[in-house]
Amino acid sequence: MKNMSFKEIIELLGETDKQPFYTFERIVLTLLEKYLSESNKTIIPYYKLPEGEIDAFLPNGFGNEPKTTIVDIKYTKKVAINNIKEKLIKTAEKLDLAVDGFNLLFIVSIEIKPSDKIIIKEFLQSKKPLINFFIWDLHELDTLFNKYAEFVSSFIPNIEKKALQNIVDKSLEYKDWQKERENLIQKLSEVHKNDDLIIFLGAGISSSAGLPDWSSLLSQLLVSLISSSLPKNIDVTDQEKIILAKSLQGLNNSSPLLEARYVNSGLRDNFESEVSNILYKNIKHNNTSPLIDSIGNLCIPPRGALGVRAIVTYNFDDLIERKLESLNLRYRPIYKDMDIPLKDELGIFHVHGFLPENSIDYEGISESLLVFSEKNYHTLMKEPYFWSNLIQLNFFRENTCLLIGLSGTDPNLRRLLEIAKRKNKIAKHYILLKRTSKKVFIEDFEKNDQQVNTTLIETINSIHHNLQERSFDELGLNVLWYEDYDELPDIIEKINYNRKR
């Protein structure tokens, strides 16, 4: 329950609780009691007055408001300003007790826009000027819930089990994920138009142009290590080197960090050049791919605007730089602290390090290759003020980010997203993910000599995707699904606001 927001709890109550209004009221009264106790103030729930019973009576007020306060709690699913006005006026007229006025605290189970709150309060103040009106919605309640969640857990037993069941039930309903993707693309296009888009790039971008992925890179580095370490009098074939490299990977328990440190220690001064040789030896002749082309086009600013505000990449290579160069766009690779792009330059932040094919033109390249040092990678995980963490966290907090070529499983990335979500409760970022084909389940059934149950497989696959969406939503990510990698360039071109001009 600690990982759920108060809004999610209330939504779940509305779907699973037979008396959500009663449960909501009990939760709110308990949260109020804990909040008031910290300032030695009193709450009297279900207080009876000659004019009728009220939800709660605060004789010493609340917070910095010392006046006697009447609490009116309302469970509803819809925002209806006129209904709220009417209800509060009736309550105020019924309980117009003191010549000097009193506070009326209205607590409601929905989100009300700040502008609507002002409209409501101004209207009420004009009708009842001696009464101070306060409105708490899900924003204030979420703050209290985050602080006192343990005290209300007994009112909502098995809440996470209910949440899971709710997701499963919804998964059984038909969902047009392609239509939902088009809606998300439209939203992203508006973000691009409004100069608020940050692009995050992962290994899938570079591999589309022929560069090796992380596993293949380490495997080839191990082959190079074997070649350089063996005495000259020992003959070894290329196939034997590959077999030995696989064996060495197994000895390191398939830990990428251990493998990287192992190779770095063995190659020493030749490490950087070997990485560069392996990275670029099989690159496509034009240094690009349809996917990289579409990203480059997205970086062309709309007239009089920025479009893409910055690029954050977890890749070492300079393929994006080459693409922007071919488009005559001004850019600056950023790979160490204190580097800052100029106003007319698109910053390309290499947060895991930078290794261009021609590294002689750059300083501090070796020190930037963080993920090849276990110590430095641990610094990434533990040090919140490390420059690359601050860059990412700032973008996640202040802008809208699109993740391309990333699986979303990197622990540090997820940690930063989770921190940023504390400020922005809604999911405002986007990630492109490949849907799991039902063929995966069918093959497993066939391998185990089981009759293929198509209905069961389709249902499980739907539940799987809905659970993934829920998981990423908790990190502030909306999922744009695709079925084939070849779809990615077209999706990115649709996001590009320049196409619509």
Side-chain angles (χ1 to χ4, degrees):
M1 189 176 72
K2 289 181 179 179
N3 294 326
M4 299 180 73
S5 69
F6 193 71
K7 180 180 179 181
E8 290 171 322
I9 295 289
I10 298 308
E11 288 175 350
L12 197 60
L13 285 178
E15 295 167 357
T16 62
D17 199 306
K18 293 180 180 179
Q19 294 181 304
F21 52 89
Y22 176 62
T23 304
F24 175 70
E25 193 173 87
R26 293 177 67 200
I27 292 172
V28 169
L29 290 173
T30 302
L31 292 175
L32 264 179
E33 181 183 3
K34 295 301 175 185
Y35 163 67
L36 293 169
S37 67
E38 291 193 349
S39 55
N40 296 316
K41 293 190 176 182
T42 306
I43 178 173
I44 306 173
Y46 308 118
Y47 189 71
K48 290 184 179 181
L49 294 170
E51 294 82 358
E53 186 178 85
I54 58 175
D55 292 326
F57 182 66
L58 315 181
N60 311 116
F62 67 100
N64 295 322
E65 296 295 330
K67 285 185 179 180
T68 298
T69 301
I70 303 295
V71 179
D72 191 9
I73 302 171
K74 174 70 173 176
Y75 174 83
T76 183
K77 292 185 178 181
K78 296 181 179 179
V79 178
I81 295 176
N82 288 334
N83 290 349
I84 293 173
K85 288 179 181 178
E86 186 178 327
K87 174 173 175 51
L88 287 174
I89 284 294
K90 284 183 178 179
T91 302
E93 288 176 346
K94 186 171 100 171
L95 303 172
D96 201 353
L97 305 175
V99 176
D100 294 332
F102 57 92
N103 293 333
L104 179 55
L105 173 60
F106 181 60
I107 302 178
V108 65
S109 59
I110 52 175
E111 286 182 291
I112 303 176
K113 294 179 182 177
S115 57
D116 288 341
K117 283 186 180 181
I118 293 172
I119 291 171
I120 294 170
K121 290 179 74 173
E122 286 180 348
F123 170 80
L124 296 172
Q125 219 71 55
S126 69
K127 299 292 183 180
K128 295 290 180 181
L130 295 179
I131 301 176
N132 295 321
F133 292 91
F134 298 87
I135 300 173
W136 283 8
D137 64 359
L138 287 178
H139 176 74
E140 286 81 8
L141 292 174
D142 194 53
T143 301
L144 293 183
F145 177 73
N146 287 335
K147 196 170 183 180
Y148 308 113
E150 61 186 291
F151 298 102
V152 298
S153 59
S154 61
F155 300 146
I156 35 182
N158 302 316
I159 191 70
E160 297 202 357
K161 183 178 179 182
K162 288 180 180 178
L164 178 59
Q165 185 60 50
N166 192 50
I167 295 170
V168 171
D169 291 343
K170 284 187 175 180
S171 300
L172 301 179
E173 302 171 3
Y174 173 73
K175 182 177 180 180
D176 191 340
W177 63 268
Q178 290 170 316
K179 183 178 179 180
E180 177 62 20
R181 183 179 71 188
E182 292 304 311
N183 292 335
L184 295 176
I185 286 173
Q186 183 60 38
K187 291 179 181 179
L188 271 169
S189 184
E190 286 298 312
V191 172
H192 184 236
K193 172 188 173 183
N194 295 326
D195 301 337
D196 194 41
L197 185 61
I198 309 293
I199 302 176
F200 278 66
L201 303 178
I205 308 302
S206 300
S207 59
S208 71
L211 269 68
D213 59 19
W214 178 252
S215 177
S216 178
L217 174 63
L218 287 175
S219 179
Q220 292 179 64
L221 284 171
L222 281 168
V223 170
S224 297
L225 176 60
I226 291 167
S227 299
S228 63
S229 299
L230 286 174
K232 293 182 179 180
N233 62 339
I234 297 181
D235 295 326
V236 57
T237 66
D238 289 342
Q239 187 59 36
E240 287 173 333
K241 291 177 186 176
I242 293 172
I243 293 171
L244 288 169
K246 287 182 178 179
S247 298
L248 289 172
Q249 281 183 298
L251 291 175
N252 283 316
N253 297 316
S254 298
S255 166
L257 278 179
L258 287 177
E259 290 172 20
R261 188 171 189 172
Y262 182 81
V263 172
N264 197 350
S265 299
L267 292 174
R268 296 183 180 274
D269 294 340
N270 296 323
F271 176 73
E272 186 181 315
S273 61
E274 284 296 330
V275 173
S276 182
N277 290 337
I278 293 169
L279 264 183
Y280 296 104
K281 70 177 181 181
N282 292 322
I283 191 172
K284 293 180 179 178
H285 71 281
N286 56 358
N287 303 325
T288 188
S289 68
L291 178 54
I292 292 175
D293 289 343
S294 65
I295 293 170
N297 292 336
L298 192 63
C299 292
I300 299 174
R303 187 176 301 169
L306 293 172
V308 172
R309 187 169 286 273
I311 295 174
V312 175
T313 178
Y314 298 96
N315 302 325
F316 317 127
D317 60 76
D318 60 355
L319 297 191
I320 290 298
E321 281 85 352
R322 297 187 198 191
K323 183 63 199 177
L324 298 185
E325 187 81 32
S326 72
L327 294 170
N328 296 316
L329 297 178
R330 288 180 59 82
Y331 65 88
R332 181 183 292 270
I334 308 294
Y335 53 91
K336 59 181 185 292
D337 197 8
M338 303 305 290
D339 280 358
I340 302 173
L342 300 177
K343 285 186 177 180
D344 62 342
E345 293 176 330
L346 178 62
I348 305 175
F349 295 84
H350 288 265
V351 293
H352 279 181
F354 186 40
L355 187 58
E357 188 170 21
N358 186 14
S359 61
I360 196 170
D361 296 332
Y362 300 90
E363 295 180 359
I365 291 294
S366 298
E367 292 79 8
S368 78
L369 297 174
L370 300 173
V371 291
F372 285 103
S373 163
E374 190 175 14
K375 178 182 177 182
N376 286 344
Y377 192 76
H378 287 161
T379 298
L380 273 180
M381 290 293 294
K382 293 179 181 179
E383 179 51 67
Y385 299 110
F386 195 77
W387 76 268
S388 62
N389 285 338
L390 287 176
I391 289 293
Q392 294 174 78
L393 190 56
N394 184 62
F395 287 146
F396 285 140
R397 281 178 167 169
E398 305 300 331
N399 304 101
T400 300
C401 303
L402 171 61
L403 281 60
I404 312 171
L406 288 156
S407 64
T409 57
D410 179 76
N412 194 49
L413 170 63
R414 294 176 69 87
R415 181 177 67 93
L416 294 173
L417 281 165
E418 191 170 15
I419 293 170
K421 181 76 185 294
R422 295 171 191 167
K423 177 180 178 182
N424 302 296
K425 298 298 181 182
I426 61 171
K428 69 168 190 170
H429 306 302
Y430 301 82
I431 183 170
L432 282 156
L433 289 179
K434 189 174 186 295
R435 288 179 73 84
T436 301
S437 171
K438 62 183 181 182
K439 290 180 181 179
V440 174
F441 299 99
I442 291 173
E443 289 172 359
D444 286 340
F445 268 70
E446 291 174 344
K447 285 177 185 177
N448 290 280
D449 298 323
Q450 292 290 316
Q451 184 176 351
V452 175
N453 186 332
T454 305
T455 302
L456 173 63
I457 287 173
E458 289 177 348
T459 302
I460 289 296
N461 205 21
S462 177
I463 292 171
H464 164 67
H465 287 118
N466 275 273
L467 287 172
Q468 277 194 302
E469 286 182 8
R470 178 63 177 260
S471 172
F472 281 109
D473 179 78
E474 291 176 355
L475 295 175
L477 291 169
N478 297 283
V479 179
L480 286 84
W481 295 110
Y482 62 89
E483 292 182 310
D484 191 277
Y485 291 112
D486 292 339
E487 296 177 67
L488 284 174
D490 288 337
I491 293 172
I492 293 168
E493 289 293 353
K494 286 182 179 179
I495 293 168
N496 192 339
Y497 182 74
N498 288 324
R499 291 178 68 254
K500 303 177 182 180
R501 294 173 61 86

